[in-house]
Amino acid sequence: MDVVELLPRLHLLRFPVGQAYLWRDGDDLTLVDAGPAGSGARVVASAGALGRVRRVVLTHFHEDHAGGAGEVAALTGAEVVAHTLEAPVVRGEVPGPPPVFEDWERPLHADAVRRLPTGGFDRPARVTEVSGGDVLDFGGGARVVHAPGHTDGSIGLHLPHHGVLFTGDSVAASPVDGTVMLGVFNTDRDLAVASFGRLAELDAETACFGHGDPVTAGAGEALRASARTYRPYG
């Protein structure tokens, strides 16, 4: 796992598949996504130099983002937060709906699955449920943005006082050239396109994606330029 400082309060945690972010308010840390199962101890050890993880906010239920949440919570006592539509999946009460793949996405997904660790999902004992429009107590007030399409309960997190936007997998950056793009492996592409457009309208200087390098300057403009190139199929 690589740890990269993006801003004095913001660090990127990069895993073999996907990535998470640490936001710091004094000694209190918020983890946005938690990496795959088995990554919790490394996340907590890396966070130790910065503070203590108080909460884990999951942008969606997929294993590369939520798999380590239970372990982090068990090690730190952190609260785990997810959208009300995702929480039953994170707790293991119901299965999550599978993506509707574009043909070109299938080999990408197969490669990602091969690189994920085996051994199951670290389920958190408790999950605090949130909805779009809720404001979480970090980063000067982090607004929850419901962004369905990648999954039903996917969320973004907007920190307007700092110009930071966490998009989860609703938006990504190309591994080839860093181009901002619609996230892949969606359950509903048309909803995903609409959510991309809503996220792009937010005021953001820094955009943090679930996959691909963050945009650390002029993020709003980059997202809007990309979002305009997508149209729904319906």
Side-chain angles (χ1 to χ4, degrees):
M1 183 185 77
D2 297 325
V3 181
V4 181
E5 181 178 306
L6 302 176
L7 299 170
R9 291 187 174 194
L10 178 63
H11 286 72
L12 162 69
L13 309 180
R14 183 175 283 127
F15 304 96
V17 177
Q19 49 210 31
Y21 297 88
L22 276 171
W23 178 268
R24 181 176 59 83
D25 292 298
D27 293 331
D28 290 346
L29 303 178
T30 296
L31 180 63
V32 179
D33 289 327
S39 60
R42 285 174 292 158
V43 169
V44 172
S46 297
L50 302 171
R52 182 177 178 86
V53 180
R54 301 296 184 182
R55 70 180 59 79
V56 181
V57 185
L58 301 176
T59 61
H60 61 293
F61 71 80
H62 287 157
E63 182 176 343
D64 54 326
H65 294 261
E71 186 180 2
V72 172
L75 290 171
T76 65
E79 175 187 30
V80 178
V81 179
H83 190 274
T84 186
L85 296 176
E86 304 287 286
V89 185
V90 174
R91 290 191 295 259
E93 297 166 359
V94 298
V100 178
F101 292 113
E102 306 274 341
D103 287 343
W104 61 270
E105 293 177 330
R106 294 181 184 279
L108 298 178
H109 186 262
D111 178 65
V113 170
R114 281 193 297 269
R115 292 188 288 131
L116 281 171
T118 58
F121 204 116
D122 294 335
R123 302 286 179 186
R126 294 177 299 279
V127 179
T128 299
E129 300 185 16
V130 296
S131 299
D134 289 349
V135 177
L136 304 180
D137 187 21
F138 75 94
R143 183 168 296 276
V144 177
V145 183
H146 187 204
H150 184 65
T151 64
D152 293 343
S154 284
I155 59 172
L157 295 165
H158 184 217
L159 280 57
H161 294 292
H162 299 278
V164 173
L165 175 65
F166 301 95
T167 72
D169 281 0
S170 297
V171 188
S174 167
V176 177
D177 60 7
T179 301
V180 176
M181 58 181 284
L182 180 71
V184 296
F185 313 154
N186 299 307
T187 58
D188 187 317
R189 183 188 180 277
D190 287 358
L191 277 179
V193 168
S195 291
F196 187 1
R198 286 195 299 276
L199 291 168
E201 289 305 313
L202 299 172
D203 184 18
E205 186 69 12
T206 300
C208 300
F209 313 125
H211 299 270
D213 290 339
V215 176
T216 56
E221 292 86 348
L223 266 66
R224 286 187 285 275
S226 179
R228 285 194 292 268
T229 68
Y230 290 95
R231 295 290 183 272
Y233 288 159

